[in-house]
Amino acid sequence: VLVTPLDVIKTRLQAQTNPFSKGKCFVYSNGLMDHICVCENGDSKAWYKKPGHFKGTLDAFVKIIQIEGIKSLWSGLPPTLIMALPTTVIYFTCYDQLSEALKSRLGKDDEHIPVLAGSLSRFGSVTVVSPLELIRTRMQYRNLSYNQLYMCISSKVAADGWFSLWRGWSSTVLRDVPFSAIYWYNYERFKKKMCKEVGAHEPTFLIAFTSGAASGSIAAVITLPFDVVKTHRQTQLWESETLKIPQRACTSTWAAMRKIVAKNGITGLFAGIIPRLFKVAPACAIMISTYEYGKSFFSHLNEKTNQRP
């Protein structure tokens, strides 16, 4: 909710300098989740195509509020929340449960625990939610009823099998699993060091916020090439599946990277690093700090409840 305006502004600036053509799609991300937006029938009333002459981020922020109202900064939020809620519930629940299970086997201070728990929990959440992402993008473009959607998915499964619901899954895994491994490893290290320095037994809101922002930034930079490849594949998959635009045979991630480097140089693999950092760092910080605070709050509440006669 808090970082969505950053991506709305980025998308509006992008559409201003390089207008989205009819039927084309782009990836909309708020740092926590991303999804496909499509330019339907050249509709100029769509939030991402509203006219505006913005000189920069701050100018866009002020003008959008003045002309369109503050609500416009949260355009596209509902579909993001629909996907974010189940993903985050599965992700954090699995991480905590796996961490506790691994601590009993490997020891409390083993540095491999956050890497293993983070990787496996993200792998699980991506795998479970992947078909929902495919279903949501189809509903978004075709405006299907639930009955029509059921018939569409049934015919696809009958033709291509159940695995067709997981198209695009591999690209997401290649980005999100390394991100989670790097993120949790650095987060747990930063958290322990900061707690030791201030003499705290458990992380405060500020410690969790700072550790989350730092570890999220590191993970975002290291995994950015995979994010660039995923964006290319996601848009190509959309055009191939929904718009029936023929695409070349699917290539490996490394082949896609080589193609990007050949076309745009090594910097092409790090395209969009600034907006990604502006979204991912605060998103990770807000998410982990509120989660840690909530966990601490309910843990103390449970202790008080159990102590009562």
Side-chain angles (χ1 to χ4, degrees):
V1 172
L2 291 175
V3 300
T4 293
L6 293 171
D7 205 71
V8 170
I9 289 169
K10 180 189 76 70
T11 304
R12 291 286 293 276
L13 288 169
Q14 184 183 357
Q16 175 182 269
T17 56
N18 184 25
F20 301 126
S21 58
K22 177 183 175 181
K24 287 293 181 179
C25 59
F26 62 94
V27 177
Y28 173 84
S29 171
N30 71 347
L32 176 63
M33 291 292 296
D34 56 352
H35 56 271
I36 293 287
C37 282
V38 111
C39 303
E40 299 177 11
N41 305 320
D43 183 8
S44 61
K45 293 181 180 180
W47 66 268
Y48 48 84
K49 295 187 75 177
K50 287 182 180 176
H53 300 284
F54 309 126
K55 297 175 183 177
T57 302
L58 186 60
D59 184 57
F61 185 81
V62 172
K63 284 182 178 176
I64 288 172
I65 293 175
Q66 287 178 340
I67 299 168
E68 302 170 29
I70 197 166
K71 286 184 179 179
S72 292
L73 292 174
W74 280 270
S75 301
L77 179 62
T80 301
L81 288 178
I82 290 168
M83 294 301 300
L85 287 172
T87 302
T88 310
V89 167
I90 295 167
Y91 184 37
F92 278 102
T93 303
C94 288
Y95 179 79
D96 269 344
Q97 295 299 315
L98 283 168
S99 293
E100 290 303 316
L102 288 168
K103 282 176 184 177
S104 63
R105 289 175 176 268
L106 303 177
K108 190 177 179 181
D109 299 319
D110 195 300
E111 291 188 346
H112 296 95
I113 290 172
V115 175
L116 290 169
S119 299
L120 290 170
S121 58
R122 195 62 179 178
F123 182 88
S125 63
V126 166
T127 302
V128 170
V129 177
S130 189
L132 296 178
E133 171 71 13
L134 185 70
I135 290 167
R136 188 192 50 72
T137 50
R138 294 201 171 204
M139 288 188 74
Q140 182 186 3
Y141 179 66
R142 294 185 184 176
N143 197 23
L144 302 172
S145 68
Y146 286 106
N147 189 47
Q148 289 172 321
L149 180 67
Y150 175 76
M151 295 300 294
C152 176
I153 293 170
S154 297
S155 60
K156 182 168 179 61
V157 169
D160 303 324
W162 284 100
F163 286 112
S164 62
L165 296 179
W166 277 267
R167 288 289 300 274
W169 168 85
S170 60
S171 296
T172 308
V173 166
L174 281 171
R175 182 198 63 175
D176 288 359
V177 170
F179 181 96
S180 292
I182 297 164
Y183 172 77
W184 285 109
Y185 175 76
N186 285 308
Y187 173 73
E188 295 292 354
R189 285 190 68 189
F190 292 153
K191 183 176 73 172
K192 284 179 183 177
K193 285 182 179 179
M194 292 181 76
C195 284
K196 187 181 276 188
E197 284 183 11
V198 299
H201 293 291
E202 59 182 33
T204 62
F205 185 88
L206 184 61
I207 288 173
F209 189 93
T210 306
S211 302
S215 54
S217 299
I218 293 168
V221 172
I222 293 173
T223 60
L224 185 58
F226 295 105
D227 186 54
V228 172
V229 171
K230 179 184 178 292
T231 300
H232 279 272
R233 281 186 165 179
Q234 201 170 7
T235 52
Q236 285 175 1
L237 178 65
W238 174 271
E239 291 169 354
S240 175
E241 288 281 309
T242 309
L243 305 180
K244 305 303 179 185
I245 298 174
Q247 301 289 341
R248 291 182 181 180
C250 183
T251 56
S252 68
T253 299
W254 308 115
M257 283 184 175
R258 285 196 297 270
K259 187 178 177 182
I260 291 168
V261 171
K263 187 178 180 181
N264 303 314
I266 195 71
T267 55
L269 291 175
F270 293 89
I273 188 168
I274 300 301
R276 180 160 163 80
L277 281 174
F278 269 112
K279 290 180 293 181
V280 172
C284 287
I286 293 165
M287 186 168 65
I288 195 65
S289 55
T290 51
Y291 177 73
E292 290 278 18
Y293 180 82
K295 193 163 65 169
S296 176
F297 174 81
F298 286 109
S299 178
H300 292 149
L301 187 67
N302 288 340
E303 285 177 7
K304 289 180 182 177
T305 305
N306 292 333
Q307 286 173 1
R308 288 176 186 172

